[in-house]
């Protein structure tokens, strides 16, 4: 692993931070309890997670969790991937399996589909 490839631990910590933020926003704005009591409450948390991660990652290259963990999502040119690709990436991330299946250079299937990579900064 080179110095720009983030560890799985960093990635999971960023994901956890983003999920906690989504759960807190769902509780604050929609009265969702944690753990969610039913499928609709779980879907609210998931929708907030996907929305905030897709918008922030697409426009800035970082979600709140990634910023805290010093990670960035970028296209091959080193720029943010844009909201449509970030939305695809975030939706695939919620399925979990695409994120766990990785190439030799630590790109998950969700990154391959979105044309992105995660790097440390």
């Amino acid at each position: 692993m080179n110095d720009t490839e983030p560890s799985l631990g960093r990635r999971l910590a960023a994901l956890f931070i983003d999920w906690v933020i989504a759960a807190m926003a769902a509780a604050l704005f929609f009265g969702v309890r944690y753990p969610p009591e039913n499928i609709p409450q779980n879907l609210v948390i998931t929708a907030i997670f996907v929305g905030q991660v897709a918008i922030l990652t697409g426009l800035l290259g970082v979600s709140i969790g990634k910023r805290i963990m010093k990670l960035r999502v970028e296209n091959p040119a080193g720029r943010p991937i844009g909201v449509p690709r970030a939305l695809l990436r975030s939706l695939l991330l919620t399925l979990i399996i695409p994120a766990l299946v990785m190439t030799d250079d630590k790109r998950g299937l969700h990154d391959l589909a979105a044309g992105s990579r995660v790097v440390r900064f």
Side-chain angles (χ1 to χ4, degrees), residues 8-119:
L8 185 57
R10 263 185 205 269
R11 291 172 188 238
L12 289 174
L15 177 66
F16 178 76
I17 293 166
D18 288 332
W19 191 262
V20 168
I21 290 168
M24 290 173 28
L28 181 65
F29 296 113
F30 300 101
V32 172
R33 297 185 182 276
Y34 203 85
E37 297 174 339
N38 51 44
I39 291 173
Q41 286 187 359
N42 199 4
L43 290 175
V44 169
I45 295 170
T46 303
I48 292 171
F49 170 83
V50 167
Q52 71 104 358
V53 169
I55 291 168
L56 293 173
T57 300
L59 296 176
L60 305 175
V62 294
S63 63
I64 296 167
K66 282 190 175 44
R67 177 74 177 137
I68 290 169
M69 297 309 300
K70 299 196 182 309
L71 302 175
R72 182 177 68 239
V73 177
E74 61 185 26
N75 66 17
R79 294 193 177 103
I81 61 175
V83 175
R85 287 180 185 226
L87 181 59
L88 171 64
R89 184 182 183 279
S90 298
L91 286 169
L92 290 172
L93 183 60
T94 64
L95 299 176
I96 299 171
I97 299 298
L100 294 178
V101 178
M102 291 188 173
T103 63
D104 289 339
D105 64 349
K106 305 291 186 243
R107 292 177 66 201
L109 295 178
H110 64 304
D111 279 319
L112 292 175
S116 63
R117 66 181 177 182
V118 179
V119 296

